[in-house]
Amino acid sequence: MDARTYMQQVGRQAREASHATARASTAEKDTALLAMAAAIREHRGELLAANAADVAEARANGLDAAMTDRLTLTDKGVEAMALGLEQVAALPDPIGEITDMKRRPSGIQVGKMRVPLGVVGIIYEARPNVTADAAALCLKSGNAAILRGGKEALRCNQAIAACVRAGLVAAGLPETAVQVIETTDREAVGHLVAMPEYVDVIVPRGGKGLIERISKEARVPVIKHLDGNCHVYVDDAADPTKALNILENSKTQRLGTCNTAESLLIARSVAVSLAPTLCNMLIARGVEIRGCEETRKLVPQAVAASDEDYYAEYLAAIISVKVVADVGEAIAHINKYSSQHTDAIVTENYTNAMRFLREVDSASVMVNASTRFADGFEYGLGAEIGISTDKFHARGPVGLDGLTSQKWIVLGNGEVRS
Amino acid sequence: MDARTYMQQVGRQAREASHATARASTAEKDTALLAMAAAIREHRGELLAANAADVAEARANGLDAAMTDRLTLTDKGVEAMALGLEQVAALPDPIGEITDMKRRPSGIQVGKMRVPLGVVGIIYEARPNVTADAAALCLKSGNAAILRGGKEALRCNQAIAACVRAGLVAAGLPETAVQVIETTDREAVGHLVAMPEYVDVIVPRGGKGLIERISKEARVPVIKHLDGNCHVYVDDAADPTKALNILENSKTQRLGTCNTAESLLIARSVAVSLAPTLCNMLIARGVEIRGCEETRKLVPQAVAASDEDYYAEYLAAIISVKVVADVGEAIAHINKYSSQHTDAIVTENYTNAMRFLREVDSASVMVNASTRFADGFEYGLGAEIGISTDKFHARGPVGLDGLTSQKWIVLGNGEVRS
């Protein structure tokens, strides 16, 4: 079977199964998730053996160390997958929730009911645990799922898929509710993202290259997550201790995450007193400072920042620094250079805080808090499908609700329109 | 200037202006809307003259009577435009609204703030009043707008555009916040829907052909509205009087609207008693019945329905009728044949009502109410950008909120992530 025919068949089966997952009760979905967790624990040996074969082949093909590391599944990793499934089972079921009911002058009551999107396609790279994780999030939100993992992880993903199917069958749900693509044909992805009749949304989880390729080829909506070039702006009215703590945490708690600060802006009136303190703290933690001319006068160790530095997502021990006139220039700079992920102001001034919140056009905007808080779990979503840098549908950390829609419901008593 | 260069310039200007409209206060936006209304009243003579020239040219080019009718602007039409602008000014401003604030264990407070999408492209056909209407909705929701009207209405649309610009200038907003495309080059639309760097969403307002073309070519999200093949299902437990009233209103109040019922389903156990009453009422109102075999035994005037009839949006005095076993078969039929616009059940049975609400996969699902209620004004939205038959972002009647997004905001007091 060629890739197109195969993907059409997978799509048709997913669409069919999505009616059952949409109808499924909370108990059925949770039963399936708990049975998947049990199957994963039970088949731990097979999962590890399949993964070992994947890793061996990847090594033989010269896969780099970082990729091999992401590909490798350990005993602890198997247990984490099972626990993840159990945690999703414990989350409240978003489907069927009725909200915003209002009585209208005509007598009808109008409101909304939360419903699944239908079929979710998830495309990811080496990490095999995403297979269980994505299956759980799609099922709990009442969707059918088509999962396409990295070709390096094929054996392990198929072993996990067998556990997922066992869980679905145990709960009386169709085993096609979660399908893990069996072909490694690169063309399959192109077909998956271009079947609006069978797939309602695509969630790519991986590097920028993957996401850009998919966004370009997709003929269905994509929940996409591009760069995180996050800013901390230290305002004229900043509390110096808060500024120091927030900058330290935002930049140095973890260097490689998308909510790590990559740029520091300082208001001119406090630059003389604060720029050396803030920058010396970073330098002491091994961070290279790339600054504007004013910064370099105040911080001799700083090297000159180019315009590209202000656009950069370093994901490394480097930060760009710029002295700005005031909150207005900070907002303008952020709206030009930021990737609209997460930006924070440190200030005690109410008006500057409100203006920053309102005018910075990013998915998360913060006052006196570390950019590192931009995260589905920290926000209380219970789970995270990804972080959206789009404005349409879902923005910022996306929880189960991001895989749902709301339909209108009308409760009447025989009313007609006049 | 070629169409591409022109549209790029329009797009760049719109993106630039969108920063000002996003920042604009409620007072500034309302001042602009009221000044637009005043300018439209003041320039009534010019608008009517421009429209008369458009109509004369359209007639000379052989435009059909229905299109010419939609194109024609009257004294009353000018006043309706001005009133429409004033009504949008009177609506609550959605922008900046903070909701769902919750304190998290870390100490931060997390919630959402409503923000504009950015630049909205609206593509419409002959009716010139859409120019003022669309300008108002986009501006009130903090967006910049690019409007592309029908080529037949070019002179009148430009005259309205001058009034819109006058209103923007009166409020100190950039006159590029609303741009009405000056070229009639058909290629311009192709460029407009394929500039993700300048346009955030496209709203087509027009016939199915226009919407299908745009959906196919678009490289940005489209809020689209396709067919309305709406159902009324009369359940075993229906109240006969409610069934009669709801069916009459759903089918006959207006024949040509998208929320008009096009199909009647009747539960078998009540078909003998109700099918003749319901169908005779419709026949008395001039509606042709196209029924299944069982219907035809009970209603001799009914002609045979084909499978296509059950898919049809007639927009005419015709209805398809089918006898079904029960609520389960009704739901399955609707989910197969309906266009996912609006479907209603008539029942006194709680469990059947809840099952129908939950399982019918349409934008509006109703119990004991006329399908004709599916409308932004009836739902209390205050305005209607359109009705979405998509699930992503906005579904069903779309109000000002449909042109907005929500960003996350975090209010902290120096918290860092541990």
Side-chain angles (χ1 to χ4, degrees):
Chain A
M1 204 184 314
D2 68 5
R4 188 169 175 281
T5 311
Y6 171 68
M7 290 310 300
Q8 290 271 326
Q9 179 189 307
V10 167
R12 206 162 32 239
Q13 289 173 173
R15 174 64 76 213
E16 191 61 37
S18 73
H19 302 307
T21 53
R23 255 194 328 262
S25 67
T26 307
E28 286 168 326
K29 293 186 285 191
D30 292 346
T31 300
L33 293 170
L34 297 176
M36 289 175 198
I40 279 174
R41 286 203 183 91
E42 191 189 329
H43 295 279
R44 190 167 55 91
E46 284 131 281
L47 298 190
L48 293 174
N51 182 252
D54 284 337
V55 170
E57 186 178 316
R59 283 226 175 87
N61 291 338
L63 200 71
D64 69 38
M67 276 287 257
T68 310
D69 187 51
R70 283 201 286 279
L71 177 62
T72 305
L73 193 63
T74 59
D75 248 358
K76 218 174 124 186
V78 173
E79 179 57 23
M81 263 199 283
L83 282 174
L85 286 159
E86 289 165 351
Q87 278 161 8
V88 174
L91 288 177
D93 187 347
I95 298 306
E97 185 195 35
I98 294 177
T99 53
D100 306 319
M101 293 302 295
K102 279 186 203 115
R103 190 174 285 283
R104 298 289 306 148
S106 61
I108 60 172
Q109 293 195 68
V110 183
K112 292 178 170 183
M113 181 187 278
R114 197 166 285 283
V115 293
L117 286 174
V119 177
V120 179
I122 303 200
I123 300 166
Y124 49 105
E125 295 176 330
R127 301 170 72 97
N129 63 309
V130 175
T131 306
D133 187 28
L137 297 172
C138 291
L139 179 64
K140 184 79 185 204
S141 54
N143 295 287
I146 302 175
L147 310 181
R148 157 70 184 218
K151 64 175 192 306
E152 307 77 14
L154 190 68
R155 290 181 193 87
C156 187
N157 283 339
Q158 293 300 333
I160 297 168
C163 298
V164 168
R165 282 195 298 270
L168 290 165
V169 169
L173 292 169
E175 60 177 20
T176 48
V178 178
Q179 296 175 85
V180 180
I181 301 303
E182 286 173 24
T183 172
T184 57
D185 189 335
R186 219 176 121 85
E187 262 189 52
V189 171
H191 296 299
L192 177 59
V193 303
M195 309 190 294
E197 66 280 30
Y198 297 133
V199 176
D200 296 289
V201 61
I202 293 286
V203 184
R205 294 174 61 153
K208 205 174 160 179
L210 174 77
I211 293 167
E212 282 179 347
R213 179 197 157 195
I214 285 166
S215 305
K216 215 170 143 184
E217 294 183 12
R219 289 197 44 226
V220 300
V222 178
I223 295 180
K224 59 172 170 286
H225 168 207
L226 291 165
D227 299 7
N229 175 17
C230 305
H231 291 71
V232 172
Y233 164 58
V234 177
D235 187 45
D236 304 271
D239 175 309
T241 309
K242 289 180 190 168
L244 199 69
N245 290 341
I246 288 168
L247 179 65
E248 181 192 20
N249 191 256
S250 298
K251 181 63 209 176
T252 70
Q253 199 213 6
R254 281 184 65 188
L255 292 172
T257 61
C258 59
N259 56 20
T260 295
E262 305 288 11
S263 197
L264 166 66
L265 306 177
I266 311 179
R268 186 158 294 129
S269 73
V270 296
V272 174
S273 63
L274 288 183
T277 323
L278 296 172
C279 290
N280 288 336
M281 176 275 294
L282 292 175
I283 291 165
R285 277 154 190 74
V287 177
E288 175 186 331
I289 310 289
R290 299 194 183 167
C292 64
E293 260 185 60
E294 284 182 72
T295 306
R296 295 181 66 203
K297 280 183 194 145
L298 299 166
V299 183
Q301 301 96 317
V303 300
S306 68
D307 204 49
E308 282 80 67
D309 278 304
Y310 293 114
Y311 283 111
E313 183 189 28
Y314 297 116
L315 302 172
I318 310 171
I319 194 166
S320 67
V321 181
K322 190 172 160 63
V323 175
V324 295
D326 56 15
V327 67
E329 192 184 329
I331 292 167
H333 178 96
I334 290 169
N335 284 341
K336 177 172 179 193
Y337 292 96
S338 142
S339 62
Q340 308 194 302
H341 189 296
T342 300
D343 300 289
I345 184 175
V346 184
T347 191
E348 298 300 306
N349 180 294
Y350 171 82
T351 300
N352 290 359
M354 288 301 128
R355 187 171 166 200
F356 191 88
L357 279 179
R358 169 84 185 253
E359 295 185 19
V360 170
D361 187 22
S362 297
S364 289
V365 188
M366 303 183 167
V367 179
N368 293 340
S370 166
T371 58
R372 289 277 299 135
F373 281 117
D375 172 280
F377 294 92
E378 292 292 339
Y379 282 6
L381 303 181
E384 188 179 283
I385 315 293
I387 296 187
S388 164
T389 50
D390 271 334
K391 288 185 186 179
F392 215 69
H393 188 69
R395 199 174 187 190
V398 181
L400 285 177
D401 280 3
L403 297 181
T404 68
S405 171
Q406 288 181 304
K407 65 183 176 193
W408 293 93
I409 61 171
V410 173
L411 303 181
N413 187 28
E415 284 83 358
V416 297
R417 189 162 165 190
S418 53
Chain B
M1 205 186 309
D2 67 6
R4 190 169 173 282
T5 311
Y6 171 67
M7 289 309 301
Q8 289 271 328
Q9 180 188 307
V10 167
R12 205 161 35 235
Q13 289 173 173
R15 174 64 75 212
E16 190 62 36
S18 73
H19 302 306
T21 53
R23 252 192 333 258
S25 67
T26 308
E28 285 168 327
K29 293 186 282 190
D30 292 347
T31 299
L33 293 170
L34 297 176
M36 288 174 198
I40 279 175
R41 286 202 183 92
E42 192 188 328
H43 294 280
R44 188 168 54 89
E46 284 132 280
L47 299 191
L48 293 173
N51 183 250
D54 284 337
V55 170
E57 187 178 315
R59 284 226 174 87
N61 291 339
L63 200 71
D64 70 39
M67 274 288 257
T68 310
D69 188 51
R70 282 200 289 278
L71 178 61
T72 305
L73 193 63
T74 60
D75 248 358
K76 222 175 123 185
V78 173
E79 179 57 22
M81 262 198 284
L83 282 174
L85 287 158
E86 289 165 352
Q87 279 162 7
V88 174
L91 289 176
D93 187 347
I95 299 305
E97 185 194 34
I98 295 176
T99 53
D100 305 320
M101 292 302 295
K102 279 185 206 117
R103 190 175 285 283
R104 298 288 307 149
S106 60
I108 60 171
Q109 293 195 67
V110 183
K112 292 179 170 184
M113 181 187 279
R114 196 166 284 284
V115 292
L117 286 174
V119 176
V120 179
I122 303 202
I123 299 167
Y124 48 106
E125 295 177 331
R127 300 171 73 98
N129 64 309
V130 175
T131 307
D133 187 28
L137 296 172
C138 291
L139 179 63
K140 185 79 186 206
S141 54
N143 294 288
I146 302 176
L147 309 181
R148 158 70 183 218
K151 66 175 192 301
E152 307 78 14
L154 190 68
R155 292 181 191 86
C156 188
N157 282 339
Q158 292 300 332
I160 297 167
C163 298
V164 168
R165 282 195 298 268
L168 290 165
V169 169
L173 293 169
E175 59 177 19
T176 47
V178 179
Q179 296 176 82
V180 180
I181 301 303
E182 288 174 24
T183 173
T184 57
D185 190 335
R186 221 176 119 84
E187 263 189 52
V189 171
H191 296 300
L192 176 58
V193 303
M195 308 191 295
E197 65 280 30
Y198 297 134
V199 176
D200 296 289
V201 61
I202 293 286
V203 185
R205 294 175 59 153
K208 205 173 161 181
L210 174 77
I211 293 167
E212 283 179 345
R213 180 194 156 198
I214 285 166
S215 306
K216 214 170 143 184
E217 294 183 11
R219 289 199 40 226
V220 300
V222 178
I223 296 181
K224 59 172 169 288
H225 168 206
L226 291 166
D227 300 7
N229 175 18
C230 305
H231 292 70
V232 173
Y233 164 59
V234 177
D235 187 46
D236 304 89
D239 173 310
T241 309
K242 288 179 190 167
L244 199 70
N245 291 341
I246 287 167
L247 178 65
E248 181 193 19
N249 191 257
S250 297
K251 181 63 210 176
T252 71
Q253 200 213 6
R254 282 183 67 188
L255 292 173
T257 60
C258 61
N259 55 21
T260 296
E262 305 288 11
S263 198
L264 167 66
L265 305 178
I266 310 179
R268 185 159 293 129
S269 72
V270 295
V272 174
S273 63
L274 287 184
T277 324
L278 295 172
C279 290
N280 288 336
M281 176 274 294
L282 291 176
I283 292 165
R285 278 155 189 76
V287 177
E288 176 186 332
I289 310 288
R290 299 194 183 168
C292 65
E293 260 184 59
E294 284 182 73
T295 306
R296 295 181 68 202
K297 281 183 195 145
L298 299 165
V299 183
Q301 301 98 315
V303 300
S306 67
D307 205 48
E308 281 80 66
D309 278 303
Y310 293 115
Y311 283 112
E313 181 188 30
Y314 298 116
L315 300 172
I318 309 171
I319 194 166
S320 67
V321 181
K322 189 172 162 62
V323 175
V324 295
D326 55 13
V327 67
E329 192 184 331
I331 292 167
H333 179 96
I334 291 170
N335 284 342
K336 177 172 179 193
Y337 291 97
S338 143
S339 62
Q340 308 194 302
H341 189 293
T342 300
D343 299 287
I345 184 175
V346 184
T347 191
E348 298 300 305
N349 180 294
Y350 172 82
T351 300
N352 290 358
M354 288 300 127
R355 185 170 168 202
F356 192 88
L357 280 179
R358 168 85 185 254
E359 295 186 19
V360 170
D361 186 23
S362 298
S364 289
V365 188
M366 302 184 169
V367 180
N368 293 340
S370 166
T371 58
R372 289 276 299 133
F373 282 117
D375 171 281
F377 294 92
E378 291 293 337
Y379 283 5
L381 303 181
E384 188 179 283
I385 314 292
I387 296 187
S388 165
T389 49
D390 271 334
K391 287 186 187 177
F392 214 68
H393 188 67
R395 197 173 188 191
V398 181
L400 285 176
D401 281 4
L403 297 181
T404 68
S405 171
Q406 288 182 304
K407 66 183 175 192
W408 293 92
I409 61 172
V410 172
L411 303 181
N413 188 29
E415 284 84 359
V416 298
R417 191 163 164 188
S418 54

